[in-house]
Amino acid sequence: IVLTQSPATLSVSPGETATLSCRASQILNNNLAWYQQKPGQAPRLLIYGASTRATGIPARFSGSESGTELTLTISSLRSEDFAVYYCHQYDKWPLTFGGGTKVEIK
Amino acid sequence: EVQLVESGGALVQPGGSLRLSCTASGFTFTAYAVTWVRQAPGKGLEWVSVISSSGGHTQYADSVRGRFTISRDNSRNTVYLHMNSLTAEDTAVYYCAKGMWGAYVDYWGQGTLVTVSS
């Protein structure tokens, strides 16, 4: 399954909302996760099951699924949210990641 | 506290072999699958391989199938990634992570760097 993330880079001002897209080549049956990665760090799980926040993840992070379109929305962006975000499907082998979206400060 | 510590990364020549280790603590190791994910310098994440909690089931990415072998020693809380016939395209930071079989991973190690170069 191919995951296509867009845009590659998203420039957003603090306090605004960022909307990240992940398009799958097949229906994923909600078997999608989102990860955040900061420079020099390992990825961190944000969302699983397309829309369930992982433990300790703030409510400003939300995920949704509509057919083959998956969306991660980050509302009221804070300085610590500027990072690279990856979607990841675990519906079919081999598992795959999207290419990532970098959220940068505008 | 959940911890996953990778080791074994090194500079290796093209065509060479290497074994990576992932040692876990802070959770019931025998209840979880362990996954390897790699990241080439400046690039995105690439799923590599996974092994089930018992070690009886494995899966591989097409890019490594036939060259890499994943295994685990539950008595040592350790998962291994045996890598053969290495090429420059295998140069990456290799992360191990825990999760359930066929599902997302929830905790990651800090990674170990493998460089394939002459």
Side-chain angles (χ1 to χ4, degrees):
Chain A
I1 296 178
V2 177
L3 300 178
T4 303
Q5 290 191 244
S6 61
T9 303
L10 187 59
S11 298
V12 187
S13 299
E16 293 185 339
T17 295
T19 303
L20 288 66
S21 174
C22 175
R23 176 171 292 177
S25 58
Q26 302 178 33
I27 294 286
L28 298 179
N29 303 303
N30 288 324
N31 292 320
L32 184 110
W34 289 93
Y35 296 90
Q36 175 194 69
Q37 187 180 33
K38 298 179 180 179
Q41 296 185 16
R44 177 175 71 141
L45 176 67
L46 298 176
I47 300 282
Y48 62 90
S51 60
T52 302
R53 281 189 300 279
T55 302
I57 301 303
R60 64 180 184 274
F61 291 90
S62 63
S64 63
E65 180 183 39
S66 176
T68 57
E69 287 282 347
L70 296 302
T71 302
L72 175 69
T73 302
I74 314 171
S75 59
S76 302
L77 269 158
R78 302 179 62 161
S79 58
E80 60 263 34
D81 300 334
F82 292 96
V84 180
Y85 293 83
Y86 295 94
C87 56
H88 168 55
Q89 70 82 18
Y90 47 94
D91 190 65
K92 288 184 175 56
W93 303 110
L95 307 191
T96 50
F97 286 89
T101 291
K102 181 180 180 180
V103 178
E104 64 176 24
I105 299 175
K106 186 174 182 180
Chain B
E1 179 192 5
V2 172
Q3 284 199 321
L4 295 149
V5 179
E6 303 91 339
S7 61
L11 171 63
V12 60
Q13 291 192 337
S17 299
L18 202 60
R19 187 186 78 167
L20 305 183
S21 300
C22 170
T23 301
S25 61
F27 63 98
T28 304
F29 184 70
T30 53
Y32 290 91
V34 174
T35 295
W36 287 96
V37 175
R38 68 184 180 183
Q39 186 168 37
K43 302 297 184 182
L45 302 174
E46 181 185 12
W47 182 88
V48 173
S49 182
V50 62
I51 188 165
S52 64
S53 57
S54 67
H57 299 280
T58 59
Q59 289 282 344
Y60 298 92
D62 292 344
S63 58
V64 306
R65 187 176 292 111
R67 300 188 300 123
F68 290 13
T69 301
I70 192 170
S71 63
R72 67 190 290 161
D73 183 343
N74 283 348
S75 69
R76 297 178 183 272
N77 279 18
T78 300
V79 169
Y80 304 100
L81 186 67
H82 306 257
M83 305 185 295
N84 296 322
S85 304
L86 287 163
T87 73
E89 286 66 44
D90 297 314
T91 294
V93 172
Y94 285 73
Y95 296 99
C96 67
K98 65 175 271 293
M100 303 306 292
W101 176 257
Y104 57 92
V105 293
D106 54 5
Y107 286 95
W108 300 61
Q110 286 304 305
T112 187
L113 177 62
V114 173
T115 303
V116 184
S117 175
S118 55

